[in-house]
């Protein structure tokens, strides 16, 4: 009896040690990366550069990664976050060009993103397709629809003088000293972090992601929550789409997909950082920071521009490997 | 001996059986439905575009499908060995990027003055190394295949960009020209390559003990373990085989496009669709090499038909997306009905 | 004619298998506490014991799937520290598992030869025709069964799959064949064929270990029997020197006698009424009532329909006909949400999959089914949630480092208390407890029994499904015995004895009952 309990305790202890090693290892890695970049590029550790990371790279990826965090927290994944961005962007640009007020156009954009999410929700919760396949299908169809709508993929520009002032503000203005995109990202991060921890919806979504069968056996209609999660993912991604459009004043078909892998990477970095191994907004934000800083640092070095992708890819790969090896060790197999 | 009568299920088990035959009917409906849909597509196109069913055009479609066909066969092997659950089971998202990098390696080496032999060996080596990385990540580090191969895809695509600087690297060698030529009947050599490769893969996967074991580890790992099969080694082998297919497709793509070009990532989704779609054709509704060939041809004929009818090729991607969802929804609903 | 040449014994050892003083524990629960099993060559050796007595652990040790914490393993006179699946196979020990390990999309031939596939001479290719022919020969010779060449495993009946599984083992030329509950899913006729085969195998020199709940089968088939109880062997004797009744008594005797603290509760209104409920193939024509304050016991073997009935009451399965009333109003339970909406609670048998989430905390598990109570405008009132959880932890004496401890870190008994606490937090009125003490240590068991009594005392109706008969008799007021889909007997618990209930549930009283 005592023998087996000690064994179990050891396995638990081992898991805890491994998990904390991993977490501190990641933070250490961040510091090392930081040090290397400051050493080899003079401009890296300057206020302007770090500001530019926060203003340019960070907000959009943060918003999309938060959306992804919800999908992963519910036990799934959403490969169509880019599609929701694109649809939001397209709806917005089209309505503005048609002379509609910005508010109406923005609402329509959000609705378009939510609609993409609702389509996923239908496939996943009603029909029972796995989230990966459902959102993959949505990604495909979305790409085709966009090309049809744009005569084979031509960008739709907002006329430079026709951009409403409100819209310029959304892309380039400041709010209480913060650039508006950054302010919006912070608001969404705080709101969703509260949602995860302090609402019934957040609690149930996380529980579904951890063990859906128990949620069902507790009398909770899990499919409804999963459906709501995917609609929410589409909605948050749509906010990202609007900000992207506001910044560049153009809608480029299928441009949202560029964020997909980094959003997945950031979400899993965040999951790895969490002591319980759960997807969480704070961790995701740290993941986004890490990825943005690495991307910026690589950009500043004299290395070939394309090494950036290899670098971030390798980083994400390493984090995934660590996280899964650790999970295997933690489960005491 | 009236053995069958003696063993005729009675009472409780007979109920089970009638439930099962309903499932069988639905499965047959799905299978024949997809075959009929395939035939209908062919008929519609051949009526509206008279050239459609000519030998030359069929050869064309085969040739055009060669690259995606070889990739889809690689993916099929991973689907077989990894199981049908896409998230936890088998998937290799790095295949298209693998093809791109292998092609870039080939083209770069010929630019540097190396011969075909070196370039071919290097491409295949590149492909198998990528497969090896996937295998280690999935089998030994235990990363979910979906995530592991997604990350590898990004690294490989980045390496391709580093190598090519995002430009087209032209390549022209005797073997490449031979591969991209047509025979006296106007049928592209690539068509023969696809057929030969399918025959080879079919022989290994459908007709050897190795193939049977791949199915066993994918569909019912516990049964495979009970039969004493080395699960990890077999699964790792499947990922490496898929990597080799990526390298091979790279060579074909260099010949087809007379060089390495950017945008290989665009191939990924059609390849995934092709491989997933392939499992609706066989009797057992499992992924098979021949099923994948059929679905590669279906997708090939679709885009070819649209071209002939002057319908925007952009529709093809949407139709592929719809096909995925229809097939997956149908099989999901079917399984639920059987359960 | 023998189709398969069987290996002749290579040594003259009389005992093929000697397991002595085997000890094995799982996270605090002792599954085996010095169990021994000695099997003689060329005999059919029965292994019996209640659920949790340690049978399956002992067998998994023999299969190399578990490693012992202590004890001796000797096979054919050769001592081993531990076995591996590969080693077990090399030693000629093969298993007919309860869950049939066959790939559903394989043909019979493919499933039979997986791992040892014949090739066409001189080629690397599978000889499918040889596989089919040999499969047909063996199936016909041993079982008198003909299956179509193209039949897939998934299309076969349970009995046919079982036959394929046995044939697979025969192809390995086994020295020892272990059958784990082989007849649980078979009808009488099929079981008879199986018995003939087992005797024939013994006569051909194979040693058989036969595990079953059906004591009449043990009596009829085996040469020798070993009885396990609480992880130890309590008896081992030739079958001629014992009887089914004696075995039953040995199985159910307890170390702790006064562990069933059943309070006397006055019965209240009828809270659940089941009328002529039927689900073809699962259960037929089941009717009963449950009153507030009452603890009703259900028991039956695997496939007897008792478990399916419990699942139906929680909305997990649909009945074909009949009606269910809860609190005097008809209930349509087509999913668990509707069942919990009518204040029905289920503590499921598979605790780690359905009852609790190992990676959620005590608090998160406890409040999961009652979050509505702690929610204002969508926001959780974490104070009142914590208060309720802390109160339940104290009341149920859940031993955990705190409300935020993950369930993974709790013992089985404490996990089970959380699985019950979750419904207390919801104020459920009808409790369905499915094998509530499986994998629970003795101390926690008594606490759970006390809790069940308390539930009844507070006016809830409780249904306990259990195959632990002394437990069932000790904590219930009435017991319904299921056999082959029907309620065959109702006992007042005060008049029931474990061997009488066992006899009813194994169909061994007055003749062989059999629905078909």
């Amino acid at each position: 009896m005592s023998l087996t309990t000690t064994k179990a305790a050891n396995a638990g202890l081992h898991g805890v040690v491994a998990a904390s090693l991993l977490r501190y290892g990641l933070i250490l890695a961040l510091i090392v990366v930081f040090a290397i970049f400051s050493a080899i590029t003079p401009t890296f550790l300057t206020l302007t550069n770090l500001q530019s990371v926060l203003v340019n790279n960070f907000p959009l990826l943060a918003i999309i990664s938060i959306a992804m965090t919800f999908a992963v927290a519910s036990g799934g994944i959403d490969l169509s976050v880019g599609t929701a961005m694109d649809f939001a962007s397209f709806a917005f640009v089209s309505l503005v060009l048609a002379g509609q007020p910005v508010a109406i156009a923005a609402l329509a954009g959000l609705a378009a993103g939510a609609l993409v999410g609702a389509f996923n929700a239908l496939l996943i919760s009603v029909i029972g397709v796995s989230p990966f396949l459902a959102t993959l299908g949505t990604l495909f169809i979305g790409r085709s629809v966009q090309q049809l709508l744009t005569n084979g993929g031509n960008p739709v520009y907002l006329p430079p003088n026709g951009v409403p002032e409100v819209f310029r503000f959304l892309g380039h203005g400041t709010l209480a000293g913060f650039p508006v995109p950054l302010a919006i990202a912070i608001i969404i991060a705080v709101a969703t972090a509260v949602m995860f921890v302090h609402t019934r919806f957040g609690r149930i979504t996380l529980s579904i992601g951890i063990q859906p069968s128990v949620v069902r056996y507790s009398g909770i209609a899990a499919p409804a929550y999963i459906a709501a999660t995917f609609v929410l993912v589409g909605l948050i991604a749509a906010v990202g789409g609007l900000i992207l459009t506001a910044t560049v004043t153009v809608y480029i078909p299928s441009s949202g997909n560029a964020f997909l892998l980094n959003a997945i990477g950031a979400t899993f970095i965040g999951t790895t950082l969490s002591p319980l191994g759960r997807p969480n907004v704070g961790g995701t934000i740290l993941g986004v920071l890490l990825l943005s800083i690495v991307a910026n640092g690589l950009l500043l070095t004299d290395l070939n521009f394309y090494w950036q992708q290899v670098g971030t890819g390798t980083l994400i790969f390493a984090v995934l490997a660590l996280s899964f090896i650790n999970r295997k060790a933690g489960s005491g197999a | 001996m009236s053995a069958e009568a003696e063993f005729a299920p009675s009472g409780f088990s007979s109920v089970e059986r009638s439930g099962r035959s309903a499932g069988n009917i639905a499965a047959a409906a799905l299978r024949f439905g997809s075959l009929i849909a395939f035939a209908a597509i062919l008929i519609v196109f051949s009526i509206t575009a008279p050239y459609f069913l000519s030998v030359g055009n069929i050869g064309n479609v085969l040739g055009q499908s060669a690259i995606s066909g070889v990739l889809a066969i690689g993916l099929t092997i991973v689907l077989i060995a990894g199981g049908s659950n896409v998230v936890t089971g088998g998937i290799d998202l790095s295949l298209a990027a693998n093809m791109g990098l292998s092609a870039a390696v080939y083209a770069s080496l010929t630019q540097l003055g190396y011969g075909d032999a070196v370039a071919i060996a290097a491409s295949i080596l590149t492909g198998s190394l990528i497969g090896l990385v996937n295998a280690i990540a999935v089998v030994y580090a235990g990363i979910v295949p979906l995530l592991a191969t997604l990350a590898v895809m990004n690294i490989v695509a980045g390496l391709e960009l580093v190598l090519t600087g995002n430009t087209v690297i032209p390549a022209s060698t005797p073997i490449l020209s031979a591969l991209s030529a047509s025979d006296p009947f106007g049928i592209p050599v690539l068509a023969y390559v696809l057929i030969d490769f399918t025959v080879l893969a079919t022989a290994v996967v459908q007709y050897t003990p190795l193939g049977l074991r791949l199915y066993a580890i994918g569909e019912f790992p516990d049964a495979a373990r009970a039969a004493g099969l080395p699960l990890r080694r077999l699964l790792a082998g499947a990922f490496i085989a898929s990597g080799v297919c990526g390298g091979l497709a790279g060579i074909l793509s260099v010949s087809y496009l007379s060089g390495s070009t950017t945008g290989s990532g665009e191939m990924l989704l059609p390849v995934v669709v092709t491989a997933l779609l392939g499992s609706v054709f066989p009797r057992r509704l499992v992924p098979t090499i021949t099923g994948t060939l059929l679905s590669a041809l279906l997708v090939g004929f679709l885009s070819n038909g649209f071209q002939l009818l002057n319908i925007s090729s952009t529709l093809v991607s949407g139709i592929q997306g719809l096909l995925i969802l229809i097939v997956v929804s149908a099989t999901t609903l079917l399984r639920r009905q059987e359960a | 004619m023998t189709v398969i040449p069987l290996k002749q014994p290579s040594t003259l050892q009389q005992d093929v298998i000697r397991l002595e003083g085997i000890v094995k524990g799982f996270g605090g629960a002792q599954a085996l506490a010095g169990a021994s099993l000695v099997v003689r060559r060329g005999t059919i050796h029965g292994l019996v014991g209640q659920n949790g007595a340690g049978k399956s652990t002992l067998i998994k040790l023999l299969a190399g799937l578990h490693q012992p914490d202590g004890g001796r393993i000797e096979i054919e006179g050769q001592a081993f520290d531990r076995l591996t699946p590969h080693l077990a196979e090399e030693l000629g020990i093969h298993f007919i598992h309860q869950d049939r390990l066959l790939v559903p999309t394989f043909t019979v031939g493919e499933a039979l030869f997986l791992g040892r596939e014949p090739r066409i001479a001189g080629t690397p290719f599978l000889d499918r025709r040889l596989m089919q022919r040999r499969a047909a020969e063996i199936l016909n010779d041993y079982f008198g069964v003909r299956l179509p060449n193209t039949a897939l495993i998934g299309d076969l009946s349970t009995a046919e799959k079982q036959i394929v599984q046995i044939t697979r083992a025969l192809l390995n030329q086994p020295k020892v064949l272990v059958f784990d509950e082989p007849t649980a899913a078979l009808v009488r006729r099929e079981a008879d064929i199986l018995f003939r085969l087992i005797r024939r195998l013994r006569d051909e020199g194979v040693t058989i270990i036969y595990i079953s709940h059906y004591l009449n089968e043990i009596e009829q088939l085996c040469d020798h029997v070993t009885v396990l109880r609480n992880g130890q062997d309590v008896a081992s004797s030739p079958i001629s020197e014992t009887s089914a009744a004696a075995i039953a008594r040995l199985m159910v005797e307890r170390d702790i006698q006064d562990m069933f603290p059943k309070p006397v509760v006055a019965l209240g209104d009828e809270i659940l009424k089941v009328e002529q409920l039927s689900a073809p193939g699962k259960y037929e024509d089941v009717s009963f009532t449950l009153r507030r304050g009452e603890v009703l016991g259900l028991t039956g073997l695997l496939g007897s329909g008792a478990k399916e009935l419990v699942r139906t009451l929680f909305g997990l399965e649909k009945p074909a006909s009949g009606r269910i009333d809860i609190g005097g109003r008809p209930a349509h339970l087509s999913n668990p949400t509707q069942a919990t909406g009518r204040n029905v609670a289920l503590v499921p048998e598979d605790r780690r999959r359905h009852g609790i989430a190992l990676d959620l905390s005590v608090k998160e598990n406890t409040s999961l089914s009652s979050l509505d109570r702690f929610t204002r405008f969508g926001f959780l009132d974490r104070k009142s949630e914590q208060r309720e959880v802390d109160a339940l932890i104290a009341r149920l004496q859940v031993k955990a480092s705190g409300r935020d401890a993950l369930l993974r870190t709790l013992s089985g008994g404490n996990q089970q208390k959380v699985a019950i606490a979750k419904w207390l937090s919801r104020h459920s009125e009808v409790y369905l407890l499915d094998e509530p003490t499986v994998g629970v240590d003795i101390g926690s068991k008594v606490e759970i029994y006390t809790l069940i009594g308390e539930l009844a005392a507070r006016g809830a109706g409780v249904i306990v499904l259990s195959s632990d008969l002394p437990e069932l008799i000790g904590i219930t007021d009435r017991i319904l015995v299921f056999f082959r889909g029907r309620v065959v007997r109702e006992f007042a618990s005060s008049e029931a004895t474990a061997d009488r209930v066992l006899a009813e549930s194994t169909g061994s009283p007055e003749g062989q009952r059999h629905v078909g």
Side-chain angles (χ1 to χ4, degrees):
Chain A
M1 180 105 182
S2 61
L3 181 72
T4 51
T5 44
T6 346
K7 257 190 204 160
N10 277 342
L13 191 65
H14 177 75
V16 170
V17 171
S20 24
L21 271 181
L22 179 64
R23 264 186 294 139
Y24 295 120
L26 264 178
I27 293 168
L28 193 70
L30 187 58
I31 294 171
V32 170
V33 165
F34 223 81
I36 293 176
F37 282 136
S38 352
I40 55 176
T41 69
T43 41
F44 179 73
L45 203 63
T46 57
L47 197 60
T48 15
N49 183 52
L50 294 181
Q51 247 174 1
S52 99
V53 172
L54 270 186
V55 175
N56 299 327
N57 305 26
F58 176 78
L60 256 183
L61 183 57
I63 291 171
I64 305 306
S65 303
I66 289 170
M68 183 63 76
T69 306
F70 270 97
V72 174
S74 75
I77 196 160
D78 189 345
L79 303 182
S80 65
V81 279
T83 312
M85 287 176 78
D86 294 334
F87 273 51
S89 174
F90 178 78
F92 183 85
V93 170
S94 314
L95 285 180
V96 168
L97 283 178
Q100 294 293 330
V102 173
I104 300 279
L107 279 179
L110 294 179
L115 206 64
V116 172
F119 184 64
N120 289 329
L122 171 79
L123 293 168
I124 295 164
S125 289
V126 181
I127 300 182
V129 179
S130 81
F132 172 79
L133 284 178
T135 56
L136 182 66
T138 306
L139 172 61
F140 260 59
I141 295 171
R143 180 184 294 178
S144 195
V145 169
Q146 290 180 60
Q147 296 203 323
L148 284 178
L149 291 172
T150 57
N151 285 325
N154 296 315
V156 183
Y157 292 92
L158 285 172
N161 50 358
V163 182
E165 202 45 47
V166 198
F167 198 52
R168 202 180 288 283
F169 172 75
L170 186 60
H172 302 280
T174 57
L175 197 72
F178 288 106
V180 173
L182 181 59
I184 292 179
I186 293 173
I187 291 170
I188 291 182
V190 172
T192 51
V194 169
M195 224 169 148
F196 265 111
V197 182
H198 291 281
T199 67
R200 175 177 50 183
F201 177 79
R203 173 76 66 82
I204 291 179
T205 304
L206 266 175
S207 304
I208 291 172
I210 287 172
Q211 206 164 324
S213 53
V214 166
V215 174
R216 174 162 177 256
Y217 271 70
S218 297
I220 295 166
Y225 281 87
I226 294 176
T229 303
F230 275 88
V231 173
L232 183 68
V233 171
L235 196 62
I236 298 176
V239 175
L242 293 186
I243 291 178
L244 177 65
T245 313
T247 320
V248 296
T249 64
V250 60
Y251 156 71
I252 303 168
S254 302
S255 55
N257 291 336
F259 296 89
L260 179 61
L261 184 83
N262 283 348
I264 293 176
T267 303
F268 275 86
I269 290 175
T271 305
T272 310
L273 284 171
S274 130
L276 292 176
R278 294 180 183 178
N280 67 100
V281 175
T284 299
I285 296 295
L286 277 180
V288 173
L289 275 177
L290 179 63
L291 290 176
S292 310
I293 287 169
V294 169
N296 170 270
L298 286 168
L299 195 67
L300 293 180
T301 56
D302 287 337
L303 283 174
N304 184 325
F305 172 74
Y306 301 113
W307 279 108
Q308 247 196 72
Q309 193 178 345
V310 180
T312 42
T314 312
L315 179 74
I316 294 174
F317 184 79
V319 168
L320 287 173
L322 281 172
S323 138
F324 276 86
I325 289 173
N326 179 55
R327 202 171 297 176
K328 259 165 71 174
S331 67
Chain B
M1 183 196 302
S2 63
E4 273 174 324
E6 187 175 295
F7 238 82
S10 61
F12 283 60
S13 38
S14 72
V15 178
E16 254 174 45
R17 178 147 297 196
S18 69
R20 205 162 37 229
S21 66
N24 282 344
I25 290 167
L30 176 67
R31 205 150 60 85
F32 288 116
S34 33
L35 281 172
I36 288 168
F38 195 174
I41 288 167
L42 293 186
I43 291 167
V44 169
F45 279 138
S46 57
I47 290 170
T48 43
Y51 174 67
F52 185 71
L53 273 190
S54 66
V55 175
N57 191 50
I58 292 175
N60 258 338
V61 171
L62 274 171
Q64 283 163 4
S65 309
I67 299 168
S68 66
V70 169
L71 288 177
I73 285 171
L75 183 54
T76 304
I77 296 172
V78 171
L79 286 179
I80 290 171
S84 52
N85 182 327
V86 192
V87 178
T88 57
I91 189 99
D92 183 354
L93 298 182
S94 69
L95 262 170
N98 178 339
M99 174 198 80
L101 181 61
S102 304
V105 166
Y106 197 115
S108 308
L109 285 174
T110 58
Q111 287 285 312
L112 291 174
Y114 289 96
D116 274 322
V118 174
I120 288 175
S123 295
I124 301 285
L125 186 68
T126 305
S128 32
L129 278 178
I130 295 168
L132 183 65
V133 172
N134 284 327
I136 291 172
V138 170
V139 180
Y140 298 100
I143 310 180
V144 176
L146 173 68
L147 293 173
T149 57
L150 190 68
V152 169
M153 169 187 98
N154 219 39
I155 298 172
V156 171
L159 287 174
E160 184 198 341
L161 288 174
V162 170
L163 192 57
T164 63
N166 205 11
T167 53
V168 173
I169 300 177
S172 167
T173 67
I175 286 193
L176 293 181
S177 319
L179 273 175
S180 60
S182 297
D183 74 354
F185 307 103
I187 296 173
V189 173
L190 283 179
Y192 293 106
V193 172
L194 176 61
I195 289 169
D196 289 347
F197 187 71
T198 309
V199 169
L200 179 71
T202 306
V204 175
V205 174
Q206 319 296 152
Y207 290 99
T208 66
L210 178 69
L212 193 68
R213 293 169 182 198
L214 288 179
Y215 277 102
I217 64 165
E219 282 180 43
F220 200 170
D222 286 344
R225 202 170 290 122
L229 303 183
L231 272 75
R232 288 150 78 92
R233 245 186 299 154
L234 285 170
L235 184 58
F239 275 101
I240 294 171
S242 163
V244 172
C245 288
L248 195 61
I251 299 172
L252 301 185
S253 112
V254 174
S255 107
Y256 187 69
L257 302 167
S258 313
S260 95
T261 58
T262 57
S264 57
E266 299 290 308
M267 288 286 287
L268 174 63
L269 297 181
V271 165
V272 172
V273 178
T274 304
L276 290 176
L277 201 60
S279 60
V280 299
F281 295 113
R283 177 171 79 98
R284 308 185 197 182
L285 292 179
V286 293
T288 61
I289 303 296
T290 37
T292 299
L293 179 71
L294 267 182
S295 91
L297 293 183
L298 172 62
V299 172
F301 275 115
L302 260 182
S303 14
N304 174 266
F306 280 128
Q307 270 167 25
L308 293 182
L309 294 178
N310 272 329
I311 295 174
S312 157
S313 64
T314 59
L315 257 183
V316 175
S317 137
I319 286 175
Q320 287 170 347
L322 273 179
L323 276 177
I324 270 199
L325 291 181
I326 291 170
V327 168
V328 174
S329 305
T331 39
T332 312
L333 292 173
L334 207 72
R335 276 196 205 126
R336 196 189 293 177
Q337 188 184 355
E338 279 182 63
Chain C
M1 182 191 83
T2 316
V3 173
I4 304 147
L6 294 159
K7 276 182 198 160
Q8 289 310 307
S10 49
T11 60
L12 293 171
Q13 283 292 328
Q14 240 199 348
D15 298 330
V16 182
I17 291 174
R18 291 188 77 90
L19 302 176
E20 284 175 353
I22 302 289
V23 178
K24 175 70 183 173
F26 298 99
Q30 192 83 334
L32 291 176
S36 298
L37 176 68
V38 177
V39 182
R40 282 198 156 186
R41 183 180 313 287
T43 61
I44 302 174
H45 194 112
L47 182 62
V48 298
Q50 293 214 299
N51 285 349
K55 287 174 311 204
S56 57
T57 310
L58 196 62
I59 290 311
K60 281 182 178 159
L61 258 134
L62 192 59
L65 297 171
H66 289 330
Q67 308 311 332
D69 297 336
R72 270 175 66 81
I73 300 177
E74 213 175 272
I75 314 283
E76 295 277 7
Q78 201 183 339
F80 296 93
D81 291 339
R82 40 178 286 183
L83 296 172
T84 64
H86 185 70
L87 191 57
E89 187 158 324
E90 273 193 349
L91 291 165
I93 308 174
H94 291 270
F95 298 81
I96 314 297
H97 296 279
Q98 229 169 338
D99 34 351
R100 279 149 276 279
L101 296 174
L102 300 168
V103 182
T105 57
F106 276 15
T107 63
V108 173
E110 287 167 348
L112 281 181
F113 289 95
L114 177 66
R116 285 170 304 106
E117 306 84 355
R119 292 162 204 234
I120 299 170
T123 74
F125 298 118
L126 284 171
D127 193 341
R128 282 207 158 82
R129 284 174 60 193
L130 179 69
M131 280 159 63
Q132 274 168 10
R133 207 181 60 231
R134 293 270 290 141
E137 272 173 19
I138 300 165
L139 286 172
N140 191 30
D141 181 61
Y142 273 90
F143 300 90
V145 176
R146 266 176 240 145
L147 296 171
N149 282 341
T150 53
L152 301 184
I153 295 296
D155 295 334
L156 300 183
S157 74
T158 315
E160 289 163 339
K161 279 184 213 164
Q162 176 112 36
I163 284 173
V164 174
Q165 180 96 47
I166 295 170
T167 312
R168 233 193 100 79
L170 292 183
L171 284 169
N172 289 315
Q173 309 182 359
K175 285 184 194 162
V176 180
L177 257 185
V178 182
F179 289 84
D180 190 359
E181 295 287 351
T183 56
L186 301 189
V187 297
R188 186 79 229 161
R189 243 188 336 249
E190 295 167 336
D192 283 340
I193 295 175
L194 178 70
F195 293 165
R196 281 209 297 278
L197 170 81
I198 290 177
R199 290 201 189 93
R200 176 170 160 192
L201 288 171
R202 175 198 50 199
D203 297 343
E204 289 177 8
V206 182
T207 307
I208 311 280
I209 298 178
Y210 189 90
I211 301 161
S212 179
H213 270 116
Y214 297 81
L215 296 184
N216 57 335
E217 287 180 359
I218 297 282
E219 203 176 11
Q220 187 185 333
L221 182 68
C222 297
D223 304 313
H224 201 101
V225 63
T226 296
V227 182
L228 286 184
R229 191 176 73 219
N230 294 337
Q232 287 173 325
D233 53 315
V234 291
S236 186
S237 72
I239 204 76
S240 51
E241 294 168 18
T242 181
S243 67
I247 296 171
R249 266 197 305 281
L250 281 166
M251 278 166 67
V252 296
E253 248 167 47
R254 281 295 168 139
D255 302 337
I256 298 178
Q257 291 300 333
D258 301 321
M259 58 184 294
F260 307 114
K262 168 113 182 69
V264 179
V265 177
L267 299 190
D269 303 337
E270 190 176 285
I271 189 161
L272 172 72
K273 184 173 181 186
V274 171
E275 261 180 25
Q276 297 181 326
L277 210 60
S278 291
K282 291 169 182 162
Y283 51 81
E284 301 275 354
D285 196 21
V286 175
S287 302
F288 65 87
T289 59
L290 175 72
R291 295 168 66 184
R292 287 183 183 276
E294 188 177 27
V295 183
L296 175 66
L298 306 181
T299 192
L301 299 175
L302 193 72
S304 67
K307 181 172 294 282
E308 289 77 4
L309 178 75
V310 168
R311 287 172 57 81
T312 306
L313 293 176
F314 196 63
L316 292 163
E317 288 183 19
K318 277 180 208 161
S321 61
R323 83 181 252 153
I324 301 170
D325 285 351
I326 297 173
R329 286 184 300 123
H332 300 283
L333 309 173
S334 54
N335 58 51
T337 311
Q338 286 174 341
T340 53
R342 298 298 299 273
N343 284 328
V344 178
L346 172 70
V347 178
E349 176 180 14
D350 193 345
R351 184 166 59 230
R352 287 158 163 251
R353 247 174 76 201
H354 302 135
I356 47 117
L358 290 175
D359 289 314
L360 289 178
S361 68
V362 173
K363 181 184 75 180
E364 289 163 331
N365 270 293
T366 306
S367 62
L368 188 57
S369 61
S370 53
L371 283 173
D372 288 352
R373 278 186 60 202
F374 311 113
T375 306
R376 301 258 133 58
F377 308 111
F379 285 88
L380 293 173
D381 177 353
R382 308 226 293 170
K383 285 250 171 60
S384 72
E385 182 192 9
Q386 286 171 6
R387 251 198 318 276
E388 171 78 14
V389 171
D390 287 344
L392 283 168
I393 290 177
R395 182 175 148 205
L396 272 59
Q397 300 165 38
V398 176
K399 287 173 202 70
S401 58
R403 65 172 102 87
D404 290 322
L406 293 189
L407 266 269
R408 188 177 283 292
T409 62
L410 271 59
S411 75
N414 285 299
Q415 289 177 353
Q416 188 71 329
K417 288 184 201 165
V418 172
I420 299 173
K422 142 175 153 184
W423 299 111
L424 294 178
S425 170
R426 202 191 155 86
H427 305 316
S428 298
E429 298 190 312
V430 176
Y431 286 79
L432 310 169
L433 308 175
D434 186 356
E435 301 287 356
T437 58
V438 165
V440 167
D441 57 285
I442 288 280
S444 298
K445 268 188 189 176
V446 178
E447 287 170 0
I448 289 170
Y449 298 147
T450 312
L451 185 62
I452 291 171
E454 259 178 59
L455 287 175
R458 289 182 179 215
V462 183
I463 292 180
V464 179
L465 170 62
S466 176
S467 50
D468 183 336
L469 299 176
E471 160 183 305
L472 201 65
I473 293 166
I475 63 173
T476 59
D477 298 301
R478 279 188 301 144
I479 294 172
L480 303 180
V481 182
F482 283 71
F483 182 71
R484 305 267 195 223
R486 286 176 189 273
V487 177
V488 289
R489 182 76 193 262
E490 178 176 338
F491 285 100
S493 301
S494 52
E495 293 165 12
T497 62
D499 28 347
R500 281 177 66 202
V501 175
L502 188 67
E504 289 289 348
S505 64
T506 54
S508 20
E510 65 276 355
Q512 309 302 332
R513 227 181 291 257
H514 152 223
V515 180

